[in-house]
Every structure is written in C-alpha cells, then in structure tokens.
Amino acid sequence: MIICQKIYQAKLKKDITIIRDDLYPFLGGGNKGRKIDSIGKEILTQAYDAVVTTGGIQSNHCRATAIFCAQYKLQCTLVLHGDKDKFLKESGNAKIMRMSGANIIFVDQPKDIGPTMDQAMFQYKDIGLKPYYLWGGGHNHQGGKAYIDAVHQLDPNLLIDYLFVACGTGSTQAGIMAGLSKRNESCQVIGISVARNQQSAQEHVYNFYNELCDSFSIEKRHQTIVLDDYLCGGYELYNDELKKVSDCSVRDYGFALDTTYSGKAFWGMQQYILKHNLHGNIVFWHTGGIFNFLA
Ligand SMILES: *Cc1c(COP(=O)(O)O)cnc(C)c1O
C-alpha cells in the first residue's frame, strides 16, 4: 500500500509529493515495517523459527522485528547497544520492544555486537531451532526488495524528476533506485545521509544497488547520489534549523518529521532545492520515525 500526498512548500513556492511510508500499515509504520514484511516472507517460507538482530535502544528496525516475531510465534533475540536504564524507562520503540516478549541482551561496546549475535545464533541451533541472522537496519536482499516492490505499486502517472530519501544503511535508497530502474524511470534519486560521510554512503548504496540489479535482472540506469551536507555532525545530531523544521512539521504539514531521519532528509531536500534552484516534479519518500519524533 502506497499513500501519496501533495503539499505546497511556501518557502520553495512549489508543490512536493510526499510518499507517506510513515503510514505503512505496521505498528509504528515506516521503512522498517515495510522491510520486515518482505524479510518475513523469506523467514516464513524457509521455515526459520528464530531471529537474531541488533540495533540501538530506540531502533525502529528492532521494534519492527520484535513485533513481527511475536505475531508469527518466532523466537527473537535483540542485541541492543545503549543505556539499559534508559531502555527500561523510555516509551516509543523501547516500550514496544519490552512488551514484545523478545529476548533482549545488552552490550556495552559495538565490538561486542557480532560475537553476541553469533552466540545467540549458536544457542538457538543448539536447542534444535533454525535461526535467521538479520543485519541491523534490516539491511539484506529481502529488505531491499521491499522497495523494488513498493516502487512497482506507485501510481504509473506519478511524475518524478527528483526523489529525495533518508539514507542510513542505504538499502531503502538502493531498493528505490532498483525499483525505478526496473520501471524504466530516468529520474535522479538523491539520498540525504543521516550518518555516513558521502564517500562511504555512496559506496554502500552503489554496491547494494548493483547487487539488487544483478539478482533481480534489472538494467542499471541510476547514478548513485548521497549528500552529507546536511549531517549536522553525525547520526542523531541536528542544528537549530533542522530542529525548527521538525518542530513545525505537525503544524505545517500534518505529519511528523523527526530530527534523526525523515526531518534530516526533508530539511536537506529543502536546502538542496534552494541551492540548485531545482525545477520539475519533486518527490519526498517519508520513511517514518514517529517514535523517534515522540521520544
Ligand atoms: C532506518 C531508517 C531510515 C534509513 O533507512 P536505510 O534503509 O537504513 O537507509 C530512514 N528513516 C527511518 C525512519 C528509519 O528508521
């Protein structure tokens, strides 16, 4: 299901089409709901009975994975990095993870994530289960395929010259690019990095886009563009301007733009349109983040 909404941007004097994937029908919505539904198809058809994954204490991906596993009665282990006391107190994704029945393990150091996930995998196998290893962010082929499929569902009459989207692991952007290539659409897809510098982000998106095109026999027709000009110093960081866009989003548009993902991408898009005086049809892919907004 894809919902589009046109908004008028007074500052830019133009209409922008918003793809409201924040409304994806999954608790909390957003791209992690869409990814896990696609990844889940593989988990279910190949009869896995446990999932091991990782993220932070307010991870959208871990929230979505925990809910999915609970629905299908799969064992779930979340290897979380961050402050355990905060996790036990906070609402949003943390609260839902707590309620999901998932096994939650905390690690202090990022270097402990891999070994802890390996150990959880081993323990499931040891008791005769078939566990599924899921990279943080739902970054795998099925996660990328979710976006090839999503683009396929877009209204064929939707005109796109520039499409903006938040870029974290890059699987959402790469999937959208592959989906548009498959549709024979020659627009520019511009990722706004929320964490990585330009070179690293572009490398990740480029490689994953190529992988997706190769495995789904799609002709490559998109250039990889990820901007790091709107990072505000890094993941979860923001400046006053971005904070203002986020704070005013409810009043201005009637949807929420958080400062970590969708707001950063939206603010970056606004800046980029002004800087380059972009014309044509502009589309913003809203990837969600309502719980980050409310946190
Ligand atoms: C994870 C996330 C992203 C980034 O998606 P990637 O596929 O990792 O690039 C964007 N927006 C929200 C709300 C997210 O949770």
Side-chain angles (χ1 to χ4, degrees):
M1 186 183 71
I2 308 266
I3 299 167
C4 288
Q5 174 187 356
K6 258 201 173 132
I7 60 166
Y8 179 69
Q9 278 271 277
K11 202 158 108 187
L12 309 172
K13 296 197 184 62
K14 65 166 85 255
D15 282 331
I16 290 181
T17 301
I18 311 293
I19 296 180
R20 296 289 309 273
D21 232 12
D22 56 318
L23 297 178
Y24 183 79
F26 192 100
L27 180 55
N31 68 340
K32 302 313 188 300
R34 186 179 288 284
K35 282 189 194 185
I36 200 68
D37 275 345
S38 174
I39 295 165
K41 282 187 192 137
E42 179 176 71
I43 292 173
L44 298 176
T45 55
Q46 296 185 21
Y48 288 93
D49 36 31
V51 178
V52 174
T53 195
T54 183
I57 59 169
Q58 280 293 352
S59 162
N60 291 314
H61 161 68
C62 286
R63 174 252 309 162
T65 303
I67 297 169
F68 180 87
C69 288
Q71 294 312 291
Y72 290 95
K73 309 267 182 289
L74 309 173
Q75 292 288 315
C76 179
T77 294
L78 307 174
V79 175
L80 299 186
H81 42 97
D83 187 328
K84 187 173 179 179
D85 292 334
K86 265 190 179 168
F87 175 79
L88 294 174
K89 274 193 287 232
E90 286 187 358
S91 185
N93 290 317
K95 179 172 182 178
I96 292 175
M97 283 188 248
R98 293 199 304 271
M99 291 178 148
S100 71
N103 310 303
I104 294 167
I105 305 173
F106 279 88
V107 293
D108 292 330
Q109 306 285 336
K111 69 167 173 52
D112 296 333
I113 295 170
T116 308
M117 287 177 74
D118 291 345
Q119 197 187 0
M121 288 291 291
F122 179 79
Q123 282 170 350
Y124 280 133
K125 286 179 195 158
D126 207 37
I127 56 169
L129 297 182
K130 184 183 174 189
Y132 185 90
Y133 188 93
L134 181 52
W135 293 103
H139 183 66
N140 68 16
H141 267 211
Q142 280 300 117
K145 183 173 182 294
Y147 284 86
I148 301 179
D149 296 343
V151 168
H152 186 70
Q153 291 169 43
L154 287 175
D155 181 350
N157 297 317
L158 175 67
L159 299 174
I160 310 172
D161 295 307
Y162 301 94
L163 187 151
F164 290 85
V165 64
C167 179
T169 66
S171 40
T172 301
Q173 182 179 351
I176 290 170
M177 286 161 60
L180 289 166
S181 291
K182 191 176 171 188
R183 247 172 63 138
N184 207 348
E185 193 107 26
S186 64
C187 55
Q188 270 191 30
V189 179
I190 300 166
I192 306 291
S193 179
V194 301
R196 292 180 176 136
N197 68 35
Q198 181 173 44
Q199 195 195 343
S200 160
Q202 287 193 160
E203 222 170 84
H204 278 85
V205 173
Y206 177 84
N207 291 337
F208 197 59
Y209 168 66
N210 280 286
E211 262 179 58
L212 287 174
C213 288
D214 290 343
S215 42
F216 297 104
S217 307
I218 295 168
E219 192 188 326
K220 295 160 199 162
R221 52 177 82 243
H222 280 83
Q223 208 194 331
T224 302
I225 308 167
V226 187
L227 309 173
D228 65 2
D229 309 71
Y230 311 105
L231 260 182
C232 306
Y235 185 60
E236 290 181 327
L237 301 179
Y238 53 86
N239 61 19
D240 291 347
E241 263 183 74
L242 166 52
K243 180 76 169 64
K244 198 166 157 216
V245 167
S246 175
D247 286 348
C248 294
S249 60
V250 171
R251 214 171 50 199
D252 288 350
Y253 314 118
F255 50 76
L257 294 169
D258 74 283
T259 51
T260 303
Y261 299 106
S262 54
K264 198 171 259 188
F266 193 89
W267 173 67
M269 171 185 72
Q270 286 181 324
Q271 300 301 305
Y272 188 83
I273 292 171
L274 284 172
K275 185 171 158 197
H276 297 274
N277 193 21
L278 289 193
H279 291 290
N281 299 294
I282 294 173
V283 174
F284 178 76
W285 197 299
H286 193 322
T287 49
I290 185 68
F291 291 137
N292 311 104
F293 180 80
L294 294 174

